[in-house]
């Protein structure tokens, strides 16, 4: 009878007990909205009360003989709750806190519920026993379930590992991880391609076998020199699977894991870059060479011009100006004429050294005669000249004779055209 | 219509393709090797580099009597006489001269000790110095470079092209292909003035295709092969009229480790030490159940029956033969124990039966008795009495395709409808079926691929040349 009253009363106080429980959970900093769901509480409360009910109804005689097994039976609903909580990600300490607080809240109310309950102490002890056996089972179960949980977690970290692995494999640069024995322990796809090796062949290989000797010893030196987290670059020559060599840039970083040193190498095949660099270098050199040539040419042109100017200036000073003064001073026309002739000669001589010479005799030619000369110079035959100038053959022959005379070629064997070839008309 | 033209076009850059290229290039002026993967070498370069030869220098040194006939009879015994005998005979007959070719011509370096692999009557197996097929593939690649043979990577054979007379005329490829995306790359056609050689290897990684041939090989069964060992080139050949041979004969390797992917480093440990010098036990009983030196088929059948969980155990004496030991220990594939007790506890094996097994095995060796499973007990075999003890956990993995397309002794591919060679079409290596019958003996694939690769290369380059386009 008293038991009925006790249970009944406690059930009636559920809401109060819930509030008390909430307060204490909050006070201990354990409040978590996901886990303080009222429905869950109701179910768990009912479970504890059911266990209590069972404890209270036990005949007195069996009280000391209560086996752990019986306790377990009573605790079963609570253990179910534990599983449920565990599945929803509740951690063990929190779960135990939840029930310890709940049971303690109930215990506190029990004396007030049925003040004169004779076996109160005993019932409470039994309840504690049930709670303890529940706790034991739950803790043990939690641990037994742990592999599962860690498996799940491992799966999680497994997937992120996989993700990292996928990224590692697909990065567009070669990555190698080397251990203290110089053995390559990881390699990504790009590294395989750079060296022409399958993954099975590159992993386990000695890093030094992928490089030419000088590069290999440089790398080994870097390995011993750099501190954890430090980074070094090296330009090395690497070996492709068929023995071909190629230039590469390697970035070495050291990272320590579990007390062992590892070096990660980022390898870049510089074949293309080197080819481009070489092309650029070649182009630059060509341009420089061209500049140099241009400069020399300009310089020599400049030099020539200056020489020319100097020569002209000197001539003007030494010959022309005195001539002019003399003409100025001469009163007689005949004298003037002779000076003018000299002056003319001097002027013409200024052009000496030119490829084509200005022949002073050419100045004696008439306009028609000069025209004839131009045509002859250009390679025209006598007939061509007749046609071009609309003159008769005889007239042209006369012009030719006069020209030869004026140029001082009369009686000479020299061909008129050959003579004219290097002369300016 | 054609984008490029070569005298001989070879597809596949493994043992067979490279051997063919080197021979062909001696007789013609332009050879190209097409390879779909981003790196050359296929299964060949990740193989164990074990090379069986009947009548070798090392055998002579060790006074081991051997002959091509003995090798052939071993092949037929393991192959349950499914072998195309004429092809098998050529492999056995030319094994020794081909081994010499790799040493004297290519400069391949081998260890100075022979191995005795399961199913072989005598020790006849050479092993490359670096315990890998790369020890042979590399010098071949160097030779190709020296001979001006381009190896075009990321180039996928999409189709074989037959001309109006029914002869092979060229290939349709996808250039800049990215495995395994069939849509990647750009389609192109390459013409062969003399011949096409198919050397595309096996299809062990093609889970769909292998399950069609042998439904017991479900998806979850692991594989030792490189990722590119798929069936599409075989299908191309069948479309071109080739004859399929024994496609369902797919070998599992009994020596692979449970604790690493693929062939790894453990397989060679079992092959070179665990099986010949140690014992294979079922963890559930602690007992032996098979002749450790049986051929692969018998071993796998025994290991797979009634859910056995197999480990191989070897002691300090036997482990000297394991060239990959250090890496095995480093990667946790092989574990080392001071006593059989510790080994039993760590592997959750029943101790007393295991001790009894070791004792009775040792007694057989010490007293020179016959082993009840029929394991050959050579004179240099030591009892397992020298700690520490090493063990490897085993699981069978798909390893080799005995089946493939049919060729004649000239390596010409045979048409299925006419039973006559398809003109200007050769094949060599694992893509060819019939040489090994129901089961390939360990270390027999390398001689097969090299022997027939060279035959195919020489014959292809001797075909009359078509006129240029
Ligand atoms: C892990 C392992 C270890 C082994 N160890 C040994 C050993 O020690 N001794 C021994 O004798 N045998 C061994 N074998 C068997 C032997 O290595 C193979 O049978 C042999 O390498 C096959 O050579 P192959 O040239 O025929 O083919 P592969 O070497 O496989 O070369 C074929 C090439 O063709 C390419 N290819 C395929 N399809 C196409 C396509 N559509 N387009 C373009 N290219 C294509 C592939 O990517 C591949 O690179 C081993 C096998 C494996 C897997």
């Amino acid at each position: 009878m008293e038991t009925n009253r006790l249970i009944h009363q406690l059930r009636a106080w559920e809401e109060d007990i819930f509030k008390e429980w909430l307060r204490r959970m909050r006070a201990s900093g354990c409040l978590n909205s996901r886990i303080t769901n009222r429905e869950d509480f109701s179910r768990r409360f009912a479970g504890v009360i059911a266990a209590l009910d069972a404890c209270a109804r036990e005949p007195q005689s069996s009280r000391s003989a209560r086996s752990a097994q019986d306790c377990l039976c009573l605790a079963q609903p609570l253990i179910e709750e534990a599983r449920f909580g565990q599945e929803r990600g509740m951690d063990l300490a929190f779960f135990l806190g939840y029930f310890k607080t709940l049971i303690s809240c109930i215990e506190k109310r029990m004396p007030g519920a049925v003040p004169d309950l004779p076996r109160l102490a005993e019932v409470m002890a039994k309840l504690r026993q049930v709670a303890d056996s529940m706790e034991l089972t739950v803790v043990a179960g939690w641990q037994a379930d742990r592999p599962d949980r860690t498996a799940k977690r491992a799966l999680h970290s497994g997937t992120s590992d996989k993700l990292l692995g996928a990224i590692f494999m697909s990065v567009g640069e070669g990555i190698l991880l080397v251990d203290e024995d110089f053995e390559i322990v990881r390699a990504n796809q790009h590294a395989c391609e750079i060296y022409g090796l399958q993954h099975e062949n590159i992993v386990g290989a000695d890093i030094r076998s992928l490089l030419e000797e000088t590069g290999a010893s440089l790398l080994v030196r870097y390995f011993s020199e750099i501190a954890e987290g430090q980074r070094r670059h090296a330009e090395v020559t690497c070996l492709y699977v068929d023995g071909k060599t190629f230039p590469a840039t390697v970035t070495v970083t050291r990272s320590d894991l579990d007390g062992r040193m590892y070096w990660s190498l980022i390898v870049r095949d510089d074949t293309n870059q080197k080819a481009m660099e070489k092309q650029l270098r070649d182009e630059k050199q060509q341009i420089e060479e061209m500049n140099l040539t241009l400069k020399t040419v300009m310089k020599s042109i400049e030099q020539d011009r200056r020489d020319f100017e100097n020569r002209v200036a000197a001539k003007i000073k030494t010959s022309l100006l005195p001539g002019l003064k003399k003409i100025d001073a001469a009163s007689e026309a005949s004298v003037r004429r002779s000076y003018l002739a000299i002056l003319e000669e001097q002027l013409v001589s200024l052009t000496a050294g030119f490829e084509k010479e200005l022949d002073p005799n050419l100045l004696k030619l008439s306009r028609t005669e000069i025209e004839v000369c131009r045509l002859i110079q250009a390679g025209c035959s006598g007939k061509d000249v007749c046609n071009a100038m609309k003159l008769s053959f005889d007239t042209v022959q006369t012009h030719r004779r006069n020209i030869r005379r004026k140029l001082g070629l009369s009686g000479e064997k020299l061909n008129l055209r050959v003579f004219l070839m290097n002369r300016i008309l | 219509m054609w984008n490029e033209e070569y005298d001989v076009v070879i597809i596949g850059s493994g043992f067979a393709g490279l051997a063919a290229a080197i021979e062909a290039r001696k007789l013609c002026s332009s050879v190209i090797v097409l390879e779909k993967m981003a790196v050359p070498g296929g299964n060949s370069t990740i193989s164990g580099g074990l090379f069986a030869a009947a009548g070798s220098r090392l055998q002579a040194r060790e006074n081991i009597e051997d002959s091509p006939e003995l090798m052939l009879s071993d092949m037929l015994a393991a192959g349950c006489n499914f072998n195309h005998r004429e092809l098998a005979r050529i492999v056995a007959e030319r094994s020794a001269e081909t081994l010499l070719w790799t040493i004297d011509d290519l400069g391949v370096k081998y260890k100075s000790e022979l191995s005795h692999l399961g199913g072989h009557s005598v020790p006849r197996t050479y092993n490359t110095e670096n315990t890998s097929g790369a020890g042979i593939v590399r010098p071949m690649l160097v030779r190709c470079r020296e001979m001006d043979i381009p190896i075009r990577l990321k180039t996928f054979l999409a189709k074989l092209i037959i001309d109006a007379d029914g002869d092979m005329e060229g290939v349709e490829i996808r250039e800049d292909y990215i495995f395994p995306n069939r849509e990647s790359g750009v389609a192109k056609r390459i013409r062969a003035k003399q011949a096409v050689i198919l050397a595309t290897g096996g299809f062990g990684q093609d889970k769909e295709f292998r399950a069609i041939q042998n439904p017991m090989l479900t998806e979850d069964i692991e594989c030792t092969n490189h990722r590119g060992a798929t069936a599409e080139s075989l299908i191309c050949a069948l479309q071109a009229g080739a004859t399929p041979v024994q496609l369902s004969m797919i070998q599992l390797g009994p020596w692979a480790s449970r604790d690493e992917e693929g062939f790894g480093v453990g397989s060679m440990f079992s092959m070179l030490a665990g099986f010949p010098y140690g014992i294979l036990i079922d963890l559930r009983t602690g007992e032996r159940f098979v002749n450790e030196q049986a051929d692969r088929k018998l071993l796998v059948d025994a290991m797979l029956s009634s859910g056995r969980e197999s480990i191989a155990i070897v002691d300090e004496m036997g482990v000297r033969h394991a060239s990959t030991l250090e890496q095995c220990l480093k990667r946790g594939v092989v574990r080392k124990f001071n006593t059989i007790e510790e080994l039993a506890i760590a592997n959750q094996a029943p101790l007393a039966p295991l001790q009894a097994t070791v004792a009775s095995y040792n007694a057989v060796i010490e007293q020179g008795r016959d082993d009840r499973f029929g394991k050959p007990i050579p004179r240099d075999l030591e009892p397992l009495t020298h700690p520490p003890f090493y063990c490897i956990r085993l699981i069978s993995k798909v390893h080799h395709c005995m089946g493939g397309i049919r060729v004649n002794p000239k390596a010409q591919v045979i048409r299925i409808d006419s039973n006559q060679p398809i003109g200007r079409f050769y094949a060599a290596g694992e893509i060819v079926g019939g040489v090994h019958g129901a089961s390939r003996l360990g270390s027999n694939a390398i001689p097969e691929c090299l022997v027939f690769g060279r035959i195919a290369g020489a014959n292809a380059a001797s075909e009359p040349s078509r006129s240029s386009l």
Side-chain angles (χ1 to χ4, degrees):
Chain A
M1 270 305 110
E2 295 102 328
T3 307
N4 277 350
R5 259 175 41 224
L6 170 70
I7 300 300
H8 188 80
Q9 189 54 62
L10 286 173
R11 281 193 178 127
W13 281 339
E14 184 187 332
E15 187 57 28
D16 290 348
I17 292 173
F18 175 64
K19 285 196 176 122
E20 167 71 4
W21 176 83
L22 261 185
R23 195 186 55 75
R24 285 172 59 178
M25 288 294 279
R26 190 177 291 123
S28 65
C30 286
L31 213 56
N32 172 333
S33 60
R34 207 154 48 90
I35 292 164
T36 50
N37 179 304
R38 182 69 173 84
E39 267 173 48
D40 288 350
F41 179 87
S42 237
R43 229 180 28 254
R44 286 165 190 161
F45 178 78
V48 176
I49 297 294
L52 183 65
D53 193 2
C55 292
R57 283 178 202 286
E58 286 291 336
Q60 218 168 353
S61 58
S62 68
R63 77 172 191 236
S64 53
R66 170 168 297 286
S67 67
Q69 195 59 43
D70 290 342
C71 281
L72 249 179
C73 284
L74 290 174
Q76 205 51 49
L78 303 181
I79 291 165
E80 288 303 331
E81 280 303 322
R83 281 232 170 93
F84 180 67
Q86 190 177 359
E87 262 159 34
R88 293 187 12 187
M90 200 188 258
D91 84 51
L92 179 62
F94 189 89
F95 181 83
L96 292 177
Y98 192 122
F99 275 94
K100 279 182 192 293
T101 311
L102 172 56
I103 288 168
S104 140
C105 289
I106 293 171
E107 276 179 356
K108 221 176 122 195
R109 290 295 181 119
M110 271 162 61
V114 188
D116 49 348
L117 191 70
R119 288 164 53 223
L120 185 62
E122 188 199 318
V123 171
M124 279 174 76
K126 274 184 191 164
L127 182 63
R128 288 229 168 116
Q129 237 178 327
V130 171
D132 285 347
S133 86
M134 177 207 73
E135 191 174 324
L136 271 177
T137 325
V138 167
V139 171
W142 220 287
Q143 270 160 354
D145 281 345
R146 219 163 67 227
D148 234 337
R149 272 166 62 83
T150 44
K152 241 184 216 165
R153 213 175 291 148
L155 193 75
H156 262 98
S157 66
T159 30
S160 65
D161 261 9
K162 251 186 209 158
L163 197 68
L164 271 181
I167 294 169
F168 174 77
M169 282 311 279
S170 61
V171 171
E173 313 219 54
I175 306 179
L176 299 169
L177 193 66
V178 177
D179 73 5
E180 288 171 358
D181 306 328
F182 299 118
E183 186 185 320
I184 297 168
V185 289
R186 293 284 289 273
N188 70 351
Q189 178 65 26
H190 200 75
C192 295
E193 290 182 24
I194 288 180
Y195 291 102
L197 296 174
Q198 286 195 27
H199 197 253
E200 287 86 338
N201 292 124
I202 202 167
V203 170
D206 189 312
I207 179 67
R208 291 168 294 186
S209 69
L210 302 182
L211 298 150
E212 267 194 349
E213 233 171 271
T214 45
S217 44
L218 180 68
L219 218 57
V220 169
R221 215 185 68 215
Y222 281 2
F223 281 9
S224 64
E225 281 175 4
I226 59 176
E228 179 172 21
Q230 222 180 352
R231 183 181 294 202
R232 280 279 173 88
H233 300 281
E235 285 198 5
V236 293
T237 305
C238 291
L239 296 168
Y240 191 67
V241 64
D242 66 359
K244 201 169 52 195
T245 58
F246 61 92
T249 313
V250 180
T251 307
V252 191
T253 324
R254 195 182 106 190
S255 13
D256 296 1
L257 272 175
D258 299 336
R260 283 177 63 93
M261 290 185 277
Y262 291 89
W263 292 270
S264 57
L265 274 62
I266 299 177
V267 186
R268 213 172 310 113
D269 179 349
D270 286 342
T271 311
N272 288 337
Q273 196 188 329
K274 280 275 140 68
M276 248 158 58
E277 276 174 15
K278 184 171 177 328
Q279 198 184 338
L280 272 179
R281 264 202 315 272
D282 288 354
E283 269 170 18
K284 202 173 153 214
Q285 192 178 342
Q286 266 175 20
I287 288 172
E288 268 169 14
E289 275 169 15
M290 215 147 77
N291 272 343
L292 207 68
T293 325
L294 270 176
K295 254 187 225 156
T296 348
V297 170
M298 303 279 281
K299 231 200 247 152
S300 71
I301 290 176
E302 173 70 13
Q303 186 63 42
D304 283 356
R305 198 177 58 84
R306 228 175 287 136
D307 286 355
F308 176 71
E309 279 172 3
N310 288 342
R311 222 169 49 236
V312 173
K315 276 263 166 75
I316 291 173
K317 221 158 71 197
T318 57
S319 319
L320 294 180
L321 292 181
L324 279 175
K325 275 194 190 120
K326 280 185 183 154
I327 294 172
D328 195 29
S331 47
E332 251 181 74
S334 64
V335 177
R336 252 190 231 156
R337 248 197 316 274
S338 76
Y339 276 125
L340 272 176
I342 291 170
L343 212 57
E344 198 179 283
E345 228 166 83
Q346 295 294 338
L347 271 172
V348 167
S349 77
L350 269 180
T351 65
F354 277 27
E355 212 182 325
K356 295 187 176 183
E357 286 172 37
L358 232 170
D359 194 310
N361 290 333
L362 290 173
L363 296 176
K364 301 173 185 158
L365 303 180
S366 69
R367 283 180 63 148
T368 322
E369 285 163 352
I370 284 179
E371 191 71 3
V372 173
C373 281
R374 287 225 168 93
L375 289 168
I376 290 172
Q377 196 185 34
C380 295
S381 65
K383 227 165 119 200
D384 293 338
V385 177
C386 300
N387 291 340
M389 299 187 67
K390 301 200 170 60
L391 296 170
S392 74
F393 187 71
D394 285 342
T395 320
V396 171
Q397 280 305 94
T398 314
H399 282 310
R400 285 175 71 107
R401 257 199 314 278
N402 291 340
I403 292 169
R404 290 185 75 92
R405 182 176 41 81
K406 287 188 184 169
L407 294 180
L409 295 176
S410 310
E412 300 263 343
K413 285 235 165 73
L414 193 59
N415 179 306
L416 183 56
R417 181 164 172 250
V418 174
F419 177 87
L420 289 173
M421 206 106 83
N422 281 329
R423 284 171 171 75
I424 297 166
L425 283 170
Chain B
M1 164 126 164
W2 300 98
N3 300 87
E4 291 173 58
E5 181 178 76
Y6 295 86
D7 291 335
V8 174
V9 174
I10 298 169
I11 309 122
S13 63
F15 291 131
L18 297 177
I22 291 168
E23 285 313 307
R25 186 64 182 78
K26 291 178 187 164
L27 302 173
C28 67
S29 54
S30 67
V31 174
I32 188 166
V33 178
L34 309 176
E35 167 60 56
K36 70 177 171 188
M37 306 303 279
V39 297
N43 273 341
S44 303
T45 193
I46 61 165
S47 76
L50 296 165
F51 191 141
S56 64
R57 287 172 187 164
L58 283 182
Q59 284 182 323
R61 195 192 68 189
E62 304 287 320
N63 291 320
I64 294 165
E65 259 189 63
D66 195 7
S67 66
E69 289 68 37
L70 186 60
M71 180 162 166
L72 177 62
S73 74
D74 288 344
M75 290 171 81
L76 298 176
C80 303
N81 286 305
F82 276 87
N83 315 60
H84 287 199
R85 199 177 282 243
E86 226 181 329
L87 302 180
R89 179 188 302 282
I90 291 173
V91 172
E93 277 171 354
R94 302 221 188 151
S95 56
E97 72 178 57
T98 306
L99 174 74
L100 275 187
W101 172 70
T102 66
I103 298 171
D104 297 338
D105 198 338
L106 295 176
V108 173
K109 299 264 186 301
Y110 294 94
K111 296 198 171 91
S112 59
E113 192 195 344
L114 285 174
S115 300
H116 190 175
L117 296 199
H120 290 276
S121 303
V122 292
R124 61 163 73 97
T125 299
Y126 274 63
N127 194 190
T128 54
E129 211 169 53
N130 65 351
T131 320
S132 159
I136 301 171
V137 169
R138 254 172 192 264
M140 293 180 97
L141 289 169
V142 171
R143 178 59 53 86
C144 285
R145 185 168 55 86
E146 290 164 354
M147 292 179 87
D148 238 346
I149 302 169
I151 294 174
R152 196 176 294 173
L153 302 173
K154 300 186 182 178
T155 305
F156 175 78
L157 168 72
K159 198 176 171 207
L160 292 160
I161 301 166
I162 307 264
D163 68 11
D165 303 329
D167 294 347
M168 192 57 65
E169 192 177 7
V171 292
E172 187 181 307
I173 55 155
R174 293 194 81 84
E175 217 171 48
D176 293 323
Y177 163 84
I178 298 167
F179 177 84
N181 179 359
R182 294 276 171 89
E183 260 67 63
S184 60
V186 185
K188 264 195 178 174
R189 289 156 76 96
I190 299 184
R191 186 167 182 257
K193 280 166 73 178
Q194 294 182 276
V196 170
I197 303 175
L198 193 65
T200 44
F203 55 84
Q205 285 285 14
D206 201 318
K207 298 191 167 160
E208 229 175 290
F209 191 82
R210 73 182 198 201
I212 294 170
Q213 306 306 328
N214 180 353
M216 283 180 288
L217 299 180
T218 48
E219 216 180 329
D220 50 319
I221 298 184
E222 284 183 58
C223 180
T224 62
N225 292 10
H226 83 118
R227 293 185 308 144
T230 50
E232 77 284 341
S233 67
L234 172 65
I235 294 167
C236 287
L238 298 179
Q239 278 171 334
T243 313
V245 176
Q246 300 165 352
L247 294 182
S248 63
M249 291 191 173
I250 299 167
Q251 177 178 74
L252 280 81
W255 19 247
S257 160
R258 198 179 267 281
D259 299 306
E260 64 180 340
E261 275 179 28
F263 192 70
V265 286
S267 300
M268 290 299 277
F269 173 88
S270 317
M271 246 187 277
L272 298 177
F275 291 176
Y277 298 99
I279 53 174
L280 188 54
I281 63 150
D282 181 353
L283 274 186
R284 300 168 317 161
T285 61
E287 289 171 359
R288 287 175 68 212
F289 54 91
V290 70
N291 161 17
E292 291 83 353
Q293 284 286 74
D295 96 85
R296 292 168 178 176
K297 185 164 167 39
L298 292 170
L299 276 175
V300 169
D301 290 348
M303 286 166 69
L304 289 183
S305 78
S306 60
R308 289 198 167 106
E309 289 173 44
S310 313
I311 64 166
I313 303 171
V314 64
D315 68 353
E316 187 67 15
M317 292 296 276
V319 89
R320 289 176 307 165
H321 302 275
S323 38
T324 56
L325 177 66
E326 253 176 64
Q327 285 179 312
C328 288
L329 289 169
K330 198 164 164 179
R331 299 188 195 177
V333 166
V334 167
R335 291 198 294 162
K336 182 172 161 179
F337 301 96
N338 289 322
T339 60
I340 291 287
E341 286 79 1
E342 285 177 22
L343 187 149
I345 291 166
N347 285 288
Q348 298 182 319
L351 178 59
L354 179 59
Q355 279 172 325
T357 301
V358 173
S360 77
Y361 173 78
N362 287 346
V364 165
I365 295 171
E366 280 158 354
Q367 297 160 19
R369 282 190 278 132
D370 280 348
D371 176 43
R372 77 188 164 105
F373 296 103
K375 180 174 185 167
I377 307 291
R379 257 167 294 130
D380 70 333
L381 191 65
E382 299 264 351
L384 296 174
T385 48
H386 307 275
F389 299 94
Y390 300 80
C391 74
I392 179 167
R393 309 196 313 146
L394 302 170
I395 190 168
S396 298
K397 299 181 186 175
V398 169
H399 183 59
H400 190 83
C401 296
M402 275 75 69
I405 55 177
R406 185 177 164 212
V407 297
N408 64 14
K410 293 179 182 161
Q412 291 174 299
V413 178
I414 305 297
R415 262 196 93 81
I416 189 165
D417 48 8
S418 64
N419 214 19
Q420 295 298 311
I422 299 175
R424 301 178 188 273
F425 188 28
Y426 295 81
E430 205 174 323
I431 184 71
V432 164
V435 177
H436 305 287
S439 175
R440 170 174 73 77
L441 285 176
S443 69
N444 271 8
I446 297 184
E448 179 218 353
C449 294
L450 293 179
V451 166
F452 273 103
R454 297 182 77 202
I455 292 175
N459 291 340
S462 305
E463 291 275 359
S465 187
R466 297 169 192 269
S467 51
S468 279
L469 288 171

